[in-house]
Amino acid sequence: MILPPHLTVRGGHLRIGEHDTVELAERFGTPLYVTDEMRIRKNFKRLSGALNDYYPDIRVLYAAKANGNLAILRVLASMGAGADVFSAGEVTLALAAGMRPESLLFNGSSKSPSDLALAVEKGVRVSVDSLDELRQLDRAAGAVGKTVDIAFRVNPEITVPTHPKIATGLATSKFGIPAGDILDAYHQALAAEHINPAGIHCHIGSQILDVEPFAREVDVLIDLTGDLIDIGVDLAFIDIGGGLGIPYRRETDFAPTPEEYAGAVMPVFLNGIRELGIAPELWVEPGRWLVADSTILLTRVNSVKAAHKTFANVDAGFNLLIRPAMYDSYHEVFAANKMDACLEREYSIAGPICETGDILAEDRLLPDLAAGDIIAVLDAGAYGFAMSSQYNSRPRCAEVILSGENAGLMRRAETIDDLTAPMEIPPWQA
Ligand code: LLP
């Protein structure tokens, strides 16, 4: 059993930070997301430190979509992070967390008129994903007499070793402007009255366990930056996105460290800017690497069933953690109240949702399980709660955050009333 340092075992119970997970499950109920704030702080320091060792002008924009809870955004804001934001909600939350507008980048391939107006109003830079969007943004800024700093999102046409649903820099991807069309896009930005082309942006995908594609990406961006200098664009920042993966299978996954990541991308970046004679800020947009391993999902066994395989039916399903169902993702599971017990048989951990695909973990060797046992699902901090739903009319669970001895709610559990509150009886049914 390999555990990250903030997860330990005492008296047969799994602990997170300074807390017994079984006690947390009793106190707050299950299902329950539990986040160790200290782990996020450590992760942030390590990743930003690895990059800063090469270059002082690094800006870390946390990918807020990974986990948008206000408490988490506040932790990262307090460390100096900005955010990659993808919606009006994320802009609003990041600002509420204390992040400055100029430390945000409004990303996305399908922004609405109100999204663009919000960016202009708040002074948030925009990663522009099409020429159509550029024209709309120019008009929105012109309407209020402002100028907006933008980057174009480049599609570098780089294949990455990850699940096809989270590879974003493929030629066929919906994201970005093909690298071959980028110069024309900047020409149009230079000609636009209310647009200042201040940066260039790229994101090649997520859960990437090889550093080489990142180095190639930086190489593409440096080449383009050189071409941009020739047409008179003076870039203040180069944003290389996020995507660094984590070892969900701790026993067997090889995952690059932040130092290895920095060791691959920074020399390419530094040589490139030296040759070009420029010193732009380097922006990165990590999501998963900062928050995934900070969080576990605690779920209680409702019943055990021996069928063609043995199912442990638990109270959390893909309503709360959709990654296994959506990407066949692997998450380590432990019996949190039986950490010292012998591993006896293989269980499939099945959720309460009315779908065959509602399996959190398949065929895992665990101690004998019984109703009432607590299963901990690891590495649930990124794209876990953030992708949850109320499917099957199940209220979402609570989220707890820990800081040293402190344990408190960062989101209360929803109730049945929360499900029905936004519903309306149409007048003809009244
Ligand atoms: N920047 C942009 C523009 C992005 O689209 C993303 C993630 C990131 C940064 C952060 O990537 P990260 O460092 O977290 O890999 N739901 C999927 C992942 C979707 C990623 C979406 N974009 C999953 O659960 O694996």
Side-chain angles (χ1 to χ4, degrees), residues 83-338:
D84 142 33
V85 288
F86 240 75
S87 65
E90 288 184 0
V91 171
T92 307
L93 282 160
L95 294 175
M99 292 174 180
R100 288 170 297 114
E102 61 275 17
S103 69
L104 308 182
L105 187 67
F106 201 147
N107 286 323
S109 53
S110 185
K111 302 185 195 79
S112 67
S114 64
D115 291 339
L116 298 176
L118 181 70
V120 171
E121 181 203 328
K122 300 290 183 192
V124 173
R125 293 185 175 96
V126 179
S127 169
V128 174
D129 203 279
S130 66
L131 293 177
D132 191 359
E133 186 184 314
L134 180 74
R135 286 186 285 273
Q136 293 185 33
L137 182 61
D138 188 33
R139 276 201 298 276
V144 291
K146 289 193 180 179
T147 297
V148 194
D149 280 0
I150 64 131
F152 281 109
R153 165 100 176 236
V154 181
N155 182 338
E157 303 184 12
I158 289 178
T159 309
V160 290
T162 190
H163 192 283
K165 283 191 182 141
I166 53 176
T168 48
L170 309 178
T172 51
S173 161
K174 73 170 182 174
F175 293 108
I177 296 175
D181 299 342
I182 275 290
L183 276 189
D184 176 50
Y186 278 90
H187 272 300
Q188 300 207 26
L190 285 172
E193 226 178 303
H194 304 281
I195 299 287
N196 173 36
I200 189 162
H201 176 220
C202 189
H203 169 74
I204 55 174
S206 195
Q207 183 53 14
I208 298 169
L209 292 177
D210 178 7
V211 293
E212 193 269 337
F214 294 112
R216 264 191 291 145
E217 174 201 1
V218 175
D219 205 30
V220 169
L221 289 176
I222 289 287
D223 274 356
L224 290 172
T225 302
D227 296 343
L228 292 176
I229 292 174
D230 295 342
I231 64 165
V233 177
D234 179 16
L235 292 185
F237 66 92
I238 296 180
D239 181 342
I240 64 173
L244 184 60
I246 65 147
Y248 285 101
R249 290 180 164 83
R250 284 191 173 71
E251 314 277 340
T252 53
D253 274 350
F254 165 78
T257 61
E259 293 74 22
E260 286 164 337
Y261 171 72
V265 300
M266 292 311 294
V268 183
F269 175 76
L270 292 176
N271 286 337
I273 62 167
R274 191 178 325 111
E275 276 173 24
L276 296 173
I278 55 172
E281 288 184 7
L282 177 70
W283 292 12
V284 288
E285 301 175 343
R288 188 186 318 268
W289 207 90
L290 295 180
V291 294
D293 72 3
S294 70
T295 300
I296 59 177
L297 171 60
L298 297 177
T299 177
R300 192 178 289 274
V301 177
N302 282 328
S303 56
V304 172
K305 177 168 69 180
H308 79 287
K309 47 172 70 180
T310 307
F311 292 99
N313 301 307
V314 295
D315 60 7
F318 78 52
N319 53 324
L320 295 177
L321 181 65
I322 204 170
R323 302 193 69 259
M326 191 152 172
Y327 316 109
D328 295 320
S329 305
Y330 183 96
H331 286 259
E332 197 71 70
V333 295
F334 291 110
N337 58 325
K338 294 182 171 170

Side-chain angles (χ1 to χ4, degrees), residues 352-371:
I353 297 300
C354 179
E355 298 228 15
T356 307
D358 185 30
I359 304 288
L360 290 177
E362 200 93 60
D363 303 330
R364 304 297 176 83
L365 196 56
L366 289 165
D368 270 333
L369 294 177

Side-chain angles (χ1 to χ4, degrees), residues 38-99:
M38 299 307 178
R39 183 65 181 175
I40 298 178
R41 291 184 183 277
K42 264 206 182 117
N43 288 347
F44 181 88
K45 265 196 202 141
R46 178 144 178 220
L47 185 55
S48 56
L51 295 164
N52 266 136
D53 280 349
Y54 287 84
Y55 192 61
D57 294 326
I58 304 284
R59 196 178 277 201
V60 179
L61 278 69
Y62 165 59
K65 63 189 79 73
N67 190 328
N69 190 291
L70 192 54
I72 300 227
L73 291 166
R74 285 168 60 92
V75 168
L76 287 157
S78 77
M79 309 278 301
D84 142 33
V85 288
F86 240 75
S87 65
E90 288 184 0
V91 171
T92 307
L93 282 160
L95 294 175
M99 292 174 180

Side-chain angles (χ1 to χ4, degrees), residues 402-426:
L402 312 173
S403 179
E405 288 178 352
N406 298 314
L409 285 177
M410 60 177 178
R411 182 194 306 267
R412 67 163 172 81
E414 291 173 352
T415 63
I416 302 285
D417 283 346
D418 291 317
L419 296 183
T420 54
M423 294 185 188
E424 304 272 358
I425 305 293

